[in-house]
Amino acid sequence: MPLLGRDVVLVDAVRSPFGRARPDGLYAHTRADDIAVAVIRELLRRNPALVPDRIGDLALAATTQQGDQGLTLGRTVGLLAGLPRTVPGYAIDRMCAGAMTAVTNVAAQIAIGAIDAAVAGGVEHMGRHPLGASADINPRFVAERLVSTDALVMGATAENLHDRYPRLTRPRADAYAAASQRKYARALAEGHIDADLVPVGVPDPERGWGLATADEPPRPGTTVAGMEGLATPFRAGGRVTAASSSPLTDGATAALLMDAATAADLQLEPRLRLVSYAYTGVEPEVMGVGPVPATHRALELAGLTMEDIGLIEINEAFAVQVLAFLDAFEIADDDPRVNPYGGAIAVGHPLAASGVRLMSQLSRQFATHPEVRYGITTMCVGLGQGGTVVWENPHHASPRSADRRNTDD
């Protein structure tokens, strides 16, 4: 059963270029909240038909909510971005699914008629705020064996997936990772990436101001042969390497959502229509399987099966996590439906920001594939969760909005 209430559409989404989280990275001298301000200002500039007063809420996610990523980001960034003081805002944390949760939270508000339009997204400056920095993990988790110590190290959970499913071999993971780099390079060359990138002014104490205009993490020359000698930092003799993992990344994303009637009134063309969504929990020690039950649940709510899904945007936290999802649904490693523009292994994964990047890429693919009616965005979440959103292609000849099933049928 699709989301009850009014039709909810995503009309636009933008992101900053993603930078490597290191002392000489793109955003080494840039505040996290300033990156978020840049993307939200650009989102509003691109949609002048929307009077800012009509924005009913601003939900902004960050995983490590401290310093320049703290203090109720949705509210503070909204004020810094020039939104009217009447527009409220709040912060969200669901680790990697932060921006995804921000989107589905405001979508629910729109669906029930509480608001007509909202901005949702996320930011992560992992160079300043590494995952878990200053976190005080309750010792009961380990002392009472509520979780294994592996559950607190994402790379260790990836190694556990290799252990649990022998078919998920290192050669398969390396081949998938190299393919992600190739697909991103091809998409960039074909003009599919730059359309939603927001140039961000970046200061440098030695060179003055510059402009971040391109993603920093991709390594287009990556080959399987080149990966063979890489270290396995999460386990001696393991299978997970830096090349088959998403790099530590800085960046921000933002999306504009509203009900379909408001979009029509403003003559804004929807890029995605929300059908259903689901979040589920799994064993924290193998958090990478989270997208599997979340996708089953989201498809069930939509009245669909995987055979109905023509495009899949799955976050590539680790190659093995994607392979676990593909095997669960009997999808080939090189299925053209999966991450046609490459994924986080190439472009990076600024944790709480990544959910909207998936949506942006899916919407670009929908525009060039009107024959595809449904797609999903899905991701694993630290400490054992998964999230999936089912979307309909507004460019399809027979949009579901014409025959919505809003009752148990």
Side-chain angles (χ1 to χ4, degrees):
M1 182 177 67
L3 190 70
L4 294 176
R6 302 188 297 177
D7 275 325
V8 179
V9 296
L10 182 150
V11 299
D12 206 357
V14 296
R15 69 175 177 88
S16 71
F18 288 171
R20 285 191 171 272
R22 60 190 188 190
D24 60 347
L26 277 178
Y27 301 113
H29 307 287
T30 304
R31 291 178 59 98
D33 48 11
D34 283 338
I35 308 172
V37 166
V39 297
I40 290 173
R41 282 178 173 169
E42 176 62 13
L43 187 69
L44 298 177
R45 189 197 67 79
R46 287 174 29 153
N47 296 277
L50 176 67
V51 177
D53 284 330
R54 296 195 67 175
I55 297 173
D57 217 340
L58 196 168
L60 198 60
T63 300
T64 307
Q65 296 192 11
Q66 62 178 9
D68 54 353
Q69 286 184 182
L71 198 60
T72 315
L73 271 174
R75 178 59 170 169
T76 57
V77 169
L79 293 172
L80 289 165
L83 290 178
R85 296 186 178 188
T86 53
V87 177
Y90 63 106
I92 287 177
D93 174 18
R94 201 198 295 264
M95 295 187 76
C96 302
M100 176 180 283
T101 303
V103 166
T104 55
N105 276 12
V106 300
Q109 291 178 266
I110 294 168
I112 66 170
I115 58 177
D116 295 330
V119 173
V123 62
E124 208 76 54
H125 198 309
M126 299 185 75
R128 289 191 174 195
H129 311 292
L131 176 62
S134 76
D136 182 10
I137 304 298
N138 194 308
R140 290 182 50 223
F141 278 113
V142 175
E144 299 180 17
R145 298 185 180 181
L146 299 176
V147 299
S148 162
T149 54
D150 286 351
L152 305 177
V153 181
M154 298 304 101
T157 70
E159 289 284 5
N160 290 343
L161 276 180
H162 279 292
D163 292 342
R164 181 167 295 195
Y165 303 105
R167 281 174 44 85
L168 307 180
T169 63
R170 176 169 174 175
R172 281 183 67 188
D174 287 353
Y176 181 88
S180 180
Q181 297 281 359
R182 291 195 302 272
K183 288 189 289 185
Y184 173 86
R186 183 173 62 248
L188 182 65
E190 294 175 353
H192 299 306
I193 303 298
D194 289 343
D196 291 329
L197 289 188
V198 177
V200 178
V202 291
D204 185 286
E206 295 181 358
R207 292 172 290 182
W209 282 87
L211 200 62
T213 59
D215 294 316
E216 190 178 26
R219 297 180 181 273
T222 299
T223 65
V224 171
M227 297 181 195
E228 290 176 354
L230 293 179
T232 56
F234 303 108
R235 181 189 298 175
R239 290 138 296 191
V240 179
T241 69
S244 59
S245 310
S246 56
L248 301 179
T249 313
D250 305 331
T253 60
L256 178 60
L257 295 102
M258 58 188 65
D259 75 289
T262 297
D265 288 344
L266 298 175
Q267 298 183 323
L268 294 173
E269 184 176 352
R271 291 170 57 174
L272 300 170
R273 190 186 76 80
L274 196 152
V275 179
S276 68
Y277 63 88
Y279 299 94
T280 58
V282 297
E283 296 172 69
E285 294 81 5
V286 285
M287 66 95 187
V289 300
V292 176
T295 298
H296 279 301
R297 179 58 177 158
L299 290 173
E300 178 186 10
L301 291 170
L304 302 172
T305 68
M306 188 57 80
E307 284 68 37
D308 297 306
I309 303 303
L311 287 164
I312 298 167
E313 277 292 321
I314 179 169
N315 192 46
E316 297 171 353
F318 300 94
V320 66
Q321 160 255 313
V322 178
L323 296 176
F325 176 89
L326 298 181
D327 279 8
F329 288 98
E330 299 182 344
I331 297 171
D333 295 3
D334 60 352
D335 191 303
R337 293 177 295 170
V338 181
N339 292 2
Y341 296 168
I345 288 173
V347 74
H349 175 28
L351 300 181
S354 288
V356 166
R357 180 191 64 80
L358 300 177
M359 298 168 193
S360 172
Q361 291 196 178
L362 179 65
S363 72
R364 291 292 171 189
Q365 295 153 21
F366 271 177
T368 57
H369 291 283
E371 76 280 5
V372 172
R373 186 168 184 176
Y374 299 109
I376 63 171
T377 55
T378 186
M379 60 202 315
C380 60
V381 186
L383 298 182
Q385 300 181 76
T388 298
V389 187
V390 178
W391 301 94
E392 183 187 34
N393 187 355
H395 306 285
H396 189 271
S398 303
R400 190 185 183 108
S401 55
D403 62 336
R404 293 174 65 219
R405 292 179 290 175
N406 281 337
T407 59
D408 294 323
D409 52 1

